[in-house]
Amino acid sequence: MATVAEQWVLVEMVQALYEAPAYHLILEGILILWIIRLLFSKTYKLQERSDLTLKEKEELIEEWQPEPLVPPVSKDHPALNYNIVSGPPSHNIVVNGKECINFASFNFLGLLDNPRLKAAALASLKKYGVGTCGPRGFYGTFDVHLDLEDRLAKFMKTEEAIIYSYGFATIASAIPAYSKRGDIVFVDKAACFAIQKGLQASRSDIKVFNHNDMDDLERLLKEQEIEDQKNPRKARVTRRFIIVEGLYMNTGTVCPLPELVKLKYKYKARIFLEESLSFGVLGEHGRGVTEHFGISIDDIDLISANMENSLASIGGFCCGRSFVIDHQRLSGQGYCFSASLPPLLAAAAIEALNIMEENPGIFAVLKEKCKRIHKALQGIPGLKVVGESISPALHLQLEETTGCRERDVKLLQEIVTQCMDRGIALTQARYLEKEEKYLPPPRVMEIYRCIGEPRAQVEEPLRGSLGKTQKSTWSQSTMQTWSTRLGSGRLFWQ
Amino acid sequence: MNVGVAHSEVNPNTRVMNSRGMWLTYALGVGLLHIVLLSIPFFSVPVAWTLTNVIHNLGMYVFLHAVKGTPFETPDQGKARLLTHWEQLDYGVQFTSSRKFFTISPIILFLKEQKSQMIHWLLPRKIPVYQLLHENLIQ
């Protein structure tokens, strides 16, 4: 019976075939042929079509001349000639065996040589050893790290903070954690190199606005708004960020934060504030540029700073809302994939925070000193001061350049050497010339510190040392002026 | 995204259709859908087949060709954010075995649906057994 049933079905099917309309059969035939074609089609990658013949490939290989792995570099490249510092770089720094006044360390609050910090670090060293030997997720989290995060969050009055073990990597990891391909970032032209690297890693669309120019930023934001209206679906999934620094390293100016917050709410972008130079400097209690302008910290989405300046430690931190900061615990590359901060440095940072909280008066002293020195440096012939009066890090730039960057750099290097001979340690601001997006002109960097002790008279010799800038060789008269100025000026710290 | 897993695949979406048992799961899933539809008393067999086909095609369209990106964050800064799952399969390599399988399966489903229609279409004109035998003898 089974076979008869099968035959019955088979015959029915054959009957159906005869009675089916022609188009139907043709369609099914095509489909079956297509299946066979698909089964036998070859796998190929989309981009791998190279239209070069074998001969052309050989020719190209013949023509190619390899570049040297290490490009030739001149003998007097600054990276090859170190200035060796012996001893701790506090108020005075011993460079190449010569003791100078230190104008080249980012030691804004003078905490580098502080005995309390040293004691805290030593106690931590005795307790934990030197390093942590592990990233945060892999047995590298110690109680000092959690303590420091807690203290920083409380100090900045945010919900949470996260610690990185290297200051440069802080902002360079924070930006790509939030901003991905297709997102739009509006960044200031004078952004520091760490921000530039973070932007490069994020693969987002970068829109650069002129330094501290809110009209330019508004223009860019408006253009973006118009683009968004053309494609609202895409706009809904695009994130927009504005990245600024509190106190710019490259220009010594403060960002106009109130206008930025207004623009943020108007155009629905998120602000990332990089406060490396302004943390522990600006504001009544040292909380940075938000306190300086009186803006609520909840208006800023992410604050990132490094602890290598005011806190005299190493590493960096980001602080903000828990919702924002927690994301970095899995997505911050510098957090997940680098060993955590050595506990002795974390303990030193906690002690530095203690000092900052106990004497909020030091910020006013620092501000006053900055203003004084800024005023005193005005009017040096040939050099102009780049930076605001409240900025502890200023640049001295040649008023008129010689036209060639190398000659400028050489001239400034002579100035620095002369100052060093007279006992003042300055440094040239160094840039990776080929890597910077908007290379600043060559300048000499000066950094002031809050002494916390009776005032120092340094303006005279400083002016004297710097007053010798000339475009050509130095004249006799100027050399005489220097020596008189040096002789008349008294130099004492503390 | 690759937290807690042992592989370092940048975008797991590309390999999910190649993973062990995925094709069988897919076939069983379609079969389950068909059985569920068959068990609804209102639908005859061809209608159930048609509905299987339609629902399968709609589902595959939405999941493979309409939804873009990944449901998780990938470490390549969102390279696949604007790509559909179909475009992400095997990192864009064309005509891999997964792609062939998923191209052929709707065709086969369509053919099966047509076959069910044909039989149903003939049912009112079902030939009694003796007439069938008679025709066989004639041939």
Side-chain angles (χ1 to χ4, degrees), chain A residues 106-118:
Chain A
F106 285 92
N107 190 5
F108 299 140
L109 301 176
L111 291 174
L112 201 142
D113 217 17
N114 193 301
R116 276 175 64 178
L117 255 73
K118 286 204 250 194

Side-chain angles (χ1 to χ4, degrees), chain A residues 7-295:
Chain A
Q7 276 182 352
W8 175 73
V9 170
L10 201 58
V11 173
E12 284 228 343
M13 281 184 63
V14 173
Q15 191 103 31
L17 263 179
Y18 280 134
E19 297 190 8
Y23 66 84
H24 199 96
L25 291 176
I26 293 174
L27 176 67
E28 295 208 352
I30 291 175
L31 285 175
I32 292 177
L33 284 174
W34 193 27
I35 290 180
I36 297 173
R37 184 200 160 230
L38 278 174
L39 280 172
F40 287 110
S41 53
K42 277 194 268 212
T43 307
Y44 63 85
K45 271 206 195 127
L46 280 174
Q47 279 112 9
E48 238 179 43
R49 306 272 185 78
S50 79
D51 298 320
L52 296 172
T53 63
L54 196 60
K55 184 164 168 294
E56 282 171 4
K57 284 186 196 169
E58 293 291 324
E59 267 178 39
L60 280 174
I61 294 173
E62 290 283 326
E63 279 173 14
W64 176 66
Q65 294 296 330
E67 284 175 16
L69 195 61
V70 179
V73 145
S74 67
K75 281 268 155 53
D76 56 352
H77 194 272
L80 294 175
N81 308 315
Y82 294 112
N83 293 321
I84 302 180
V85 173
S86 9
S90 60
H91 308 306
N92 296 333
I93 183 173
V94 180
V95 181
N96 294 334
K98 185 177 163 58
E99 179 154 339
C100 315
I101 307 177
N102 192 357
F103 272 107
S105 298
F106 285 92
N107 190 5
F108 299 140
L109 301 176
L111 291 174
L112 201 142
D113 217 17
N114 193 301
R116 276 175 64 178
L117 255 73
K118 286 204 250 194
L122 276 172
S124 190
L125 176 69
K126 290 203 169 71
K127 181 174 176 193
Y128 295 105
V130 181
T132 55
C133 290
R136 283 295 291 263
F138 205 40
Y139 299 107
T141 303
F142 293 9
D143 47 357
V144 277
H145 297 128
L146 300 175
D147 246 346
L148 180 55
E149 287 181 358
D150 212 27
R151 289 293 305 276
L152 281 167
K154 281 208 189 66
F155 180 75
M156 294 294 285
K157 299 210 177 108
T158 57
E159 284 175 26
E160 200 174 324
I162 179 174
I163 306 280
Y164 284 83
S165 49
Y166 184 34
F168 187 99
T170 311
I171 189 68
S173 307
I175 297 176
Y178 300 101
S179 181
K180 314 275 180 185
R181 269 174 235 258
D183 295 336
I184 301 171
V185 177
F186 301 94
V187 69
D188 194 296
K189 211 173 203 175
C192 66
F193 194 55
I195 295 182
Q196 288 174 31
K197 286 296 138 191
L199 291 172
Q200 193 179 0
S202 74
R203 302 264 174 244
S204 325
D205 297 329
I206 314 293
K207 305 228 154 82
V208 181
F209 62 91
N210 294 330
H211 177 55
N212 274 355
D213 189 354
M214 291 298 110
D215 296 320
D216 202 22
L217 175 58
E218 181 141 24
R219 171 187 66 89
L220 284 173
L221 285 166
K222 272 211 182 74
E223 279 173 16
Q224 186 55 39
E225 200 180 31
I226 295 174
E227 284 281 330
D228 286 346
Q229 275 159 4
K230 286 190 202 151
N231 193 346
R233 268 179 61 203
K234 186 173 176 197
R236 235 180 296 137
V237 293
T238 311
R239 298 177 269 252
R240 284 166 279 272
F241 299 95
I242 300 176
I243 300 188
V244 282
E245 292 183 47
L247 192 57
Y248 285 92
M249 166 92 84
N250 284 342
T251 61
T253 47
V254 181
C255 73
L257 201 57
E259 283 97 22
L260 275 167
V261 172
K262 275 203 213 94
L263 283 175
K264 166 197 159 152
Y265 284 117
K266 189 169 166 197
Y267 291 98
K268 308 282 184 295
R270 297 182 170 104
I271 296 188
F272 282 6
L273 191 55
E274 219 267 323
E275 290 224 64
S276 292
L277 286 189
S278 55
F279 177 76
V281 166
L282 294 180
E284 219 183 284
H285 300 276
R287 297 204 173 97
V289 71
T290 46
E291 205 184 26
H292 178 77
F293 283 113
I295 292 179

